[in-house]
Amino acid sequence: DAPEDVRELVAVRRDTLSHAYELMKVEDPRWRRRLAKQVASGELSLVKLRKRIEALARAEAAAKEPS
């Protein structure tokens, strides 16, 4: 099942199913909610959302690497 914030996004904007799929890749609920709000308000296109999620994943991976 999709998290509540993702379900709410799709309920508000049916054209966001692809966005919802991408948002499901975000494990941190705070980041997912923030991104979902930006998608719902029209701030993030699908391409921009994908880039933002990729950047977030890179930052999380870098933070996990031992120094």
Side-chain angles (χ1 to χ4, degrees), residues 3-6 10 14-15 19-20 22 26-27 29-30 35 37 41-43 47-48 50-53 55 58 67:
E4 182 66 25
D5 49 356
V6 174
V10 174
R14 297 249 181 238
D15 62 328
H19 292 80
E22 295 299 322
V26 179
E27 293 181 20
R30 292 175 297 158
L35 293 170
K37 286 180 184 180
S41 69
E43 292 177 51
V47 171
K48 288 181 181 178
R50 284 181 177 150
K51 287 181 180 178
R52 185 84 49 95
I53 290 171
R58 282 193 304 270
S67 1

Side-chain angles (χ1 to χ4, degrees), residues 7-47:
R7 285 185 276 150
E8 287 175 8
L9 172 65
V10 174
V12 171
R13 290 190 48 194
R14 297 249 181 238
D15 62 328
T16 59
L17 287 175
S18 294
H19 292 80
Y21 175 78
E22 295 299 322
L23 286 167
M24 296 281 290
K25 298 175 183 177
V26 179
E27 293 181 20
D28 185 325
R30 292 175 297 158
W31 273 107
R32 192 175 51 243
R33 274 193 301 276
R34 182 180 294 170
L35 293 170
K37 286 180 184 180
Q38 291 176 343
V39 169
S41 69
E43 292 177 51
L44 284 178
S45 67
L46 183 57
V47 171

Side-chain angles (χ1 to χ4, degrees), residues 53-66:
I53 290 171
E54 288 170 4
L56 181 61
R58 282 193 304 270
E60 287 178 348
K64 291 180 182 178
E65 288 182 7

